[in-house]
Amino acid sequence: MMYSIAIDLGGTVVKVGLIRDGKIAGFTLLEAFSERGVRPNLPLIKSAINDLLFKENVAQNELSGVGLAFPGLVNPINNTIISTNKKYDDARDLDFNEWVENNWRVPFFMDNDARLAVVGEWKYGAACGHKNVVMVTIGTGIGTGVIMDDSLLYGEHFQAGSLGGHFVVDYKARRCSCGNIGCVEALASSSFLPQIISENDALSPEFRERAVQYDFKKIFSLASEGETDAITVRNNCMDIWAAAIVTYIHAYDPNIIVLGGGIMKSKDLIIPYIKDRVDRLAWCPSGKVDIVASRLEDSAALLGIQYSLLKRLKMGEIN
């Protein structure tokens, strides 16, 4: 089997993987600095790729291609960025095809990050064997990807299934970075956590004053120790995630929901809580929808990249 290079541009970290036969042969993490754009990261990513190829002794003729998972709207036909949202905002002006060709002279493919993550879980992970899947990644933002009737969902403008973080769950609530009001992402993502805490009058003044010091890891840790303000924040966010999942179920009719992101280190609490709420609130006369944690975790999009890249090569869609 040939090797593939997979790049997952996250909001916090960049993951670079060397993939072979659905398994990770080498892996590197880089700090993202997504607010600075993609351009400053490209030399670092290039070095990481070349180091992986050298360490694993991969020759040029053993490399099938390079794939990129991007946190925004992507046109995967011509490998361009359609739209960004406060992450890597310079990406629309970059020619990724040229960058890959100049450095490695192999085929290139790119797509939305959550869409590629659902492919990874569908083919190799928690959703393997299922025909209708929704993947939700919870982190800096909220991402979604959808498999419907064994096909990856794209829509007319390549945005179907990818904007679950911008479904409205409270139209009178906080304005989101996308410009809409009351999005899932604005109410329950880590990028908005300082505002979520500082603007909540139900929390103590002392807790609200320390809003910038908290991330979800700290909130869940404090909640587990019985800190009442942290419990309030944690449960409010889980209620928002559950409300979003009910909407995804109504919209896409999956038989399994896969939850991913670093927050799933607390899956033993999150999964039962959300499942109980969704089971009570979702209109599912044919039966309850299974809700599970990602099996591949940080590797989901990387493995989804290789599957998608090899499939497109086989079909002659890229060369």
Side-chain angles (χ1 to χ4, degrees), residues 1-4 19-20 56-65:
M1 291 290 292
M2 299 282 282
Y3 289 90
S4 302
I19 319 296
R20 183 180 183 183
E56 298 300 323
N57 196 28
V58 178
Q60 178 73 26
N61 62 2
E62 294 178 291
L63 186 60
S64 62

Side-chain angles (χ1 to χ4, degrees), residues 154-186:
Y154 279 102
E156 182 69 20
H157 305 101
F158 308 107
Q159 64 189 54
S162 295
L163 293 179
H166 301 282
F167 281 21
V168 174
V169 287
D170 184 352
Y171 74 96
K172 294 182 179 180
R174 179 178 302 108
R175 184 174 294 277
C176 183
S177 56
C178 73
N180 201 353
I181 295 173
C183 296
V184 180
E185 192 165 300

Side-chain angles (χ1 to χ4, degrees), residues 42 88 102 166 212 242 265 270:
L42 291 182
Y88 306 111
N102 288 344
H166 301 282
V212 295
K265 289 179 175 59
I270 294 172

Side-chain angles (χ1 to χ4, degrees), residues 30-50:
L30 305 171
E31 195 166 355
F33 302 112
S34 58
E35 70 283 354
R36 298 192 319 194
V38 180
R39 196 181 300 275
N41 283 290
L42 291 182
L44 303 176
I45 295 170
K46 176 184 174 181
S47 293
I49 291 172
N50 290 337

Side-chain angles (χ1 to χ4, degrees), residues 34-244:
S34 58
E35 70 283 354
R36 298 192 319 194
V38 180
R39 196 181 300 275
N41 283 290
L42 291 182
L44 303 176
I45 295 170
K46 176 184 174 181
S47 293
I49 291 172
N50 290 337
D51 286 346
L52 286 174
L53 295 174
F54 178 77
K55 287 176 183 177
E56 298 300 323
N57 196 28
V58 178
Q60 178 73 26
N61 62 2
E62 294 178 291
L63 186 60
S64 62
V66 174
L68 175 70
F70 187 84
L73 296 181
V74 176
N75 181 332
I77 294 176
N78 58 22
N79 294 326
T80 57
I81 306 301
I82 298 169
S83 184
T84 62
N85 183 27
K86 310 300 182 184
K87 297 174 192 172
Y88 306 111
D89 287 337
D90 63 344
R92 293 182 65 186
D93 300 324
L94 298 178
D95 188 335
F96 291 97
N97 295 288
E98 183 179 59
W99 180 67
V100 171
E101 174 63 24
N102 288 344
N103 286 292
W104 300 283
R105 301 190 184 283
V106 293
F108 173 65
F109 163 76
M110 70 187 303
D111 206 339
N112 171 265
D113 56 350
R115 185 177 282 136
L116 289 166
V118 75
V119 171
E121 292 290 345
W122 173 48
K123 287 300 173 182
Y124 307 109
C128 193
H130 293 273
K131 298 178 65 175
N132 293 281
V133 184
V134 173
M135 172 101 183
V136 187
T137 56
I138 301 169
T140 308
I142 307 288
T144 55
V146 177
I147 303 293
M148 186 175 287
D149 297 328
D150 262 343
S151 295
L152 192 55
L153 193 62
Y154 279 102
E156 182 69 20
H157 305 101
F158 308 107
Q159 64 189 54
S162 295
L163 293 179
H166 301 282
F167 281 21
V168 174
V169 287
D170 184 352
Y171 74 96
K172 294 182 179 180
R174 179 178 302 108
R175 184 174 294 277
C176 183
S177 56
C178 73
N180 201 353
I181 295 173
C183 296
V184 180
E185 192 165 300
L187 302 185
S189 70
S190 62
S191 61
F192 277 91
L193 195 55
Q195 286 176 260
I196 291 167
I197 294 170
S198 63
E199 296 173 4
N200 188 339
D201 293 336
L203 305 177
S204 68
E206 295 79 14
F207 195 85
R208 292 168 63 192
E209 286 172 5
R210 297 192 298 272
V212 295
Q213 301 176 21
Y214 298 126
D215 56 17
F216 275 128
K217 181 179 179 181
K218 185 66 173 177
I219 291 295
F220 273 73
S221 175
L222 290 172
S224 69
E225 296 169 3
E227 215 290 346
T228 55
D229 286 328
I231 290 171
T232 297
V233 174
R234 180 197 69 186
N235 290 0
N236 282 349
C237 286
M238 289 196 294
D239 288 343
I240 294 294
W241 299 334

